Amino acid sequence: MSQPLEKILNMTDIDEITEMVSTFLKKPVVIEDEQFSLLAYSSYYIEHFDLANQQTIFSKRWPIPILEKFMDEGIVDQLKTIPEPFRIKKMEEIGLNQRIVVSAKYKEQILGFIWVQELESSLSESEMNFLHDVSFHIGKLLYQKNLKKLRKEEEKHQFYQKIIDRTYQTEDQIKWEAANVKVILPEAFIINVFSVVQADEEIFAELNETVRLFANALSHPAHIFTNQHEIIVMIGSSSPAPGSLSEDAHELTNTVLSQFRSQTVYAGIGGEYSSILKLRKSYAEALEVIKAAKFIGSPEELPYEYKKLWVFRYLEPIAQHNSLTKYVNEDLMKLQKKDLESQTSLLKTLEVYLLNNCRLKPTAEQLFIHTNTLKYRMKQITDLTSIDFDDFNTRCQLYIDLQLLKRKK
């Protein structure tokens, strides 16, 4: 055993270990936890860190664009599966220089990552072996640190779950309990909920891990906990700045869903509130978005935000009423029949036309067709039906009936 390794194995301070590893390898070193949050970095080489590391040191975590790149390039999967140190090539588009990375593991559990930026020279085989040996010691230290963290996180989970379950009746009760369990309440918050279409444990576990990974990279702190097959993300702020939390929730939703294009994942964003007593309200609003998306069957058709749900929140009771009264929109039936017989796209054209407030140019642009082609389709629609596009109520009814017809299809 080399002298530096023997000395490191007797150390328990992560910062001191980082400096020692950096001194031995003569290269910048960064240690992060399993969610890519910064734990320590070598101060001696701070001026040598590349742009990617500078961003990490500044924000204490990997920014979302870098995480997305790592996901797309398969690096995150490699970190989970490759036990030895491996090399990541330079990626100029995200300001990443060539580096070596190894997972810090203990009891087959990944607790963090050690990154070594290769400057003028690459690590030798003996240096790679040294880094591998060090990783097990760091993994053990992080495991011990995580035990305390997990107990604290479980207390927070139970606390927020009680708010959702209406265990507390007043805001003062919530604040009292928060003080008892040492939870710092946000000044403002928003709830983001994710769920899968079926109770698939493997997909749910993958979704949970992805949500946690990207939520940890947001500009505002997020607390994540699960409730049956729901992943609940509370994004909080220390100041009640309206709108900023909603931006984070949208960024989280878009980045998570982009990783699950082949699976049906539902997401909902509740309202942004400053009273912690309204945590359940924001949660219920997020669930209402998911419920509407599941009813339609196409989550991509709906906005993710509750306040933009508009008419979609009423579709299910309207469908029930239509079923009881045997209501059918005869005009839409005629267009549907024409589409089936002649392979036309009159129903789709009608929907886009309504969404663009019956304006020809933006409708044609959205459909990628010439304005004259659109005019011909609209003439077909008016010839086949009795639709009066000048009547506002008719347009509203048409849009609602189109959404329900799409669901039947």
Side-chain angles (χ1 to χ4, degrees), residues 228-285:
Q228 295 181 343
H229 287 281
E230 299 164 1
I231 301 165
I232 304 167
V233 184
M234 187 188 77
I235 306 170
S237 173
S238 57
S239 61
S244 58
L245 296 179
S246 179
E247 290 173 10
D248 265 12
H250 275 280
E251 184 175 21
L252 177 61
T253 299
N254 289 327
T255 50
V256 168
L257 295 186
S258 70
Q259 301 296 322
F260 289 86
R261 292 190 180 97
S262 59
Q263 290 103 9
T264 303
V265 173
Y266 294 96
I269 302 171
E272 187 175 326
Y273 298 102
S274 56
S275 169
I276 195 65
L277 199 59
K278 291 186 177 179
L279 181 70
R280 178 178 172 81
K281 180 175 172 61
S282 185
Y283 166 71
E285 289 170 348

Side-chain angles (χ1 to χ4, degrees), residues 331-387:
D331 287 325
L332 294 186
M333 292 299 101
K334 292 174 184 177
L335 298 179
Q336 185 181 53
K337 183 182 178 184
K338 178 66 175 176
D339 280 348
L340 291 171
E341 290 175 350
S342 307
Q343 300 299 305
T344 52
S345 303
L346 299 183
L347 284 174
K348 177 64 176 176
T349 301
L350 174 60
E351 181 181 13
V352 177
Y353 185 64
L354 292 170
L355 284 169
N356 284 284
N357 294 317
C358 302
R359 293 176 296 166
L360 289 171
K361 186 177 179 182
T363 302
E365 289 174 351
Q366 189 172 338
L367 290 169
F368 301 104
I369 59 175
H370 194 275
T371 308
N372 289 338
T373 305
L374 175 59
K375 287 179 180 177
Y376 174 71
R377 289 186 188 178
M378 294 311 301
K379 186 177 186 306
Q380 284 183 295
I381 291 172
T382 53
D383 287 347
L384 286 167
T385 68
S386 59
I387 297 172

